Amino acid sequence: MPKNASAVQQQVAPAGDPSPQTCLLVARQAAILAVTAADDAMTAVCRSRSGATARLEAAMHAAHKEAVEAEGHADRAEQYVDDSTMPSSAPLYCARAAVDHAVRAQSAAGVETTAADLRAELERKLTAAEYAERETERRREEAEQEAEERAATGMDADNRDRAARNRYLAEGHVAELGWTAGHVRVLEAAASGRLYWRGGRARQAARHGVWNGGRRISRERTQALFAARFLVGVRQDDGTRVLTPSPMGQVALELARLHPAGLHGSDKAAYEARFARVRRRHKRRDDQKAAACVLPPLDSSARKLYRKPVTLTEQQARAERDAVDRWEDEGGYCPGADTPRPAAGAPANPPARIILPLHGHTAVQPALW
């Protein structure tokens, strides 16, 4: 073994900046030294009985100014240490600034610049052991924060980011739909699978598959959503049409739920907002009014960018279904192995959905009646 092997192992590793706690302690110590220097300068002015009073007062004001700056940087260092949105270098920047102001405060007050010794603590690199301990603590804190976020939201980090992007998307597109809360209620009834059209009326059935009776739903809003292709209909044998959200309608519903503030307070306000969008000088007034009565489609960019977040429970259920599928693909039962079972009550053949054709390359469907 080389003679200097042990010395190499004991060298300080250039493992990064000092910890936030070290920066906080240094910044606070620098502020204390700066304030002490300002107090000494003020004491010197009070004891002065000679012609040097003007010079001492100037030194006192200079030291006081630097002390205020040092305390401000120390306070900001405390805020940045507790703020996860700030960059990791922010506490170090504040600590260095606090030390610089403390040195200038001591120099102005004419006392020994002991604050300069604090720079060595900020410039000292962590040893390999200190760096490893710091990384372990950082990973532990990240794991604890992730566990708290998962418990609060039921989603992992990727899906939380997806939900945040969806909320931002909703803020930019919900108001453009020209909807009221009543339109959302119609789509929610359709999403339940119990909205149907019969005899010129829209109703929400009391039970799925029973297309008779039930709660009345707004006829006008249902027609408007259907004409704008937010709803699609599946005709039953008795002529009843079961209405369900189209893919565009499902996305619009999710966005409206994320940003209810974008909904208009009344049908009149919603109409006026749609009218403002279609208003053109070269159009006849009647044509503008007719265009305002039609619900605009959801912007295509919103449809492309929206991604539904998947909760941890949904991920687990999907993993169990995939395990069953893999088990079947790999040959089924194997002696000595547990047999996974598919979820009970799963429908064998889901009902077919009939999408009504478009006419003349427009987004208007045939009427419901």
Side-chain angles (χ1 to χ4, degrees):
M1 178 180 291
K3 294 181 179 180
N4 62 346
S6 60
V8 172
Q9 293 177 358
Q10 295 176 1
Q11 285 180 351
V12 174
D17 295 328
S19 66
Q21 290 71 24
T22 299
C23 296
L24 183 59
L25 291 174
V26 169
R28 185 51 60 192
Q29 184 64 30
I32 292 173
L33 293 176
V35 171
T36 302
D39 290 343
D40 292 343
M42 183 176 63
T43 301
V45 171
C46 294
R47 292 178 178 178
S48 175
R49 295 292 186 270
S50 64
T53 302
R55 179 182 60 81
L56 293 176
E57 285 183 351
M60 177 189 68
H61 290 302
H64 176 73
K65 179 181 178 181
E66 298 296 338
V68 170
E69 291 291 336
E71 283 193 308
H73 283 289
D75 292 339
R76 282 189 287 275
E78 291 182 355
Q79 297 174 4
Y80 295 162
V81 166
D82 297 331
D83 189 351
S84 59
T85 63
M86 296 299 299
S88 58
S89 60
L92 177 60
Y93 172 82
C94 291
R96 286 173 175 169
V99 171
D100 291 342
H101 286 291
V103 170
R104 288 197 285 268
Q106 289 180 328
S107 178
V111 299
E112 184 181 1
T113 55
T114 57
D117 298 336
L118 296 174
R119 292 195 179 105
E121 188 64 25
L122 295 178
E123 295 171 357
R124 183 181 72 84
K125 298 296 183 179
L126 301 177
T127 65
E130 289 173 335
Y131 182 75
E133 181 180 357
R134 177 177 170 183
E135 284 298 298
T136 300
E137 179 65 18
R138 181 184 63 80
R139 287 193 293 268
R140 184 189 63 80
E141 292 178 354
E142 288 181 352
E144 290 180 352
Q145 183 177 1
E146 176 64 18
E148 292 175 357
E149 293 285 349
R150 289 189 174 212
T153 64
M155 293 182 286
D156 57 23
D158 291 340
N159 284 282
R160 291 197 302 271
D161 291 341
R162 182 179 296 180
R165 290 193 296 269
N166 289 343
R167 287 193 293 270
Y168 178 78
L169 196 64
E171 292 175 2
H173 292 280
V174 171
E176 296 179 354
L177 293 172
W179 286 8
T180 65
H183 293 91
V184 175
R185 287 194 293 269
V186 173
L187 275 175
E188 287 177 339
S192 70
R194 294 184 284 120
L195 180 64
Y196 69 96
W197 181 272
R198 185 176 184 180
R201 295 186 180 277
R203 293 180 181 271
Q204 184 176 8
R207 297 194 310 275
H208 187 275
V210 181
W211 312 122
N212 188 17
R215 183 168 62 90
R216 285 189 178 184
I217 302 296
S218 171
R219 181 175 184 268
E220 292 75 14
R221 295 191 183 102
T222 303
Q223 289 175 326
L225 289 168
F226 181 83
R229 296 194 62 81
F230 290 104
L231 293 173
V232 293
V234 178
R235 186 181 295 275
Q236 306 297 304
D237 294 338
D238 60 356
T240 301
R241 285 190 178 181
V242 179
L243 304 178
T244 56
S246 65
M248 180 178 68
Q250 188 61 52
V251 173
L253 174 59
E254 295 294 338
L255 294 179
R257 285 170 170 171
L258 290 174
H259 186 57
L263 300 173
H264 298 281
S266 64
D267 290 326
K268 180 181 178 181
Y271 170 82
E272 290 175 352
R274 296 194 299 269
F275 185 86
R277 290 193 61 193
V278 301
R279 186 175 182 178
R280 299 291 186 274
R281 290 184 178 180
H282 62 274
K283 278 189 176 182
R284 294 174 59 250
R285 185 75 173 181
D286 291 343
D287 294 339
Q288 294 182 51
K289 291 181 178 180
C293 292
V294 178
L295 297 179
L298 179 65
D299 190 89
S300 60
S301 63
R303 282 178 270 174
K304 294 177 181 178
L305 293 175
Y306 177 82
R307 293 292 183 274
K308 183 176 177 59
V310 183
T311 64
L312 296 172
T313 302
E314 292 170 341
Q315 291 181 26
Q316 182 179 358
R318 181 181 299 174
E320 292 175 354
R321 291 194 300 269
D322 291 344
V324 173
D325 294 339
R326 283 196 302 269
W327 176 81
E328 294 176 351
D329 293 340
E330 293 171 0
Y333 175 72
C334 183
D338 293 335
T339 303
R341 298 178 180 274
N349 295 312
R353 172 178 290 184
I354 302 174
I355 306 299
L356 298 177
L358 292 174
H359 290 273
H361 303 286
T362 65
V364 179
Q365 299 187 81
L368 282 166
W369 54 91

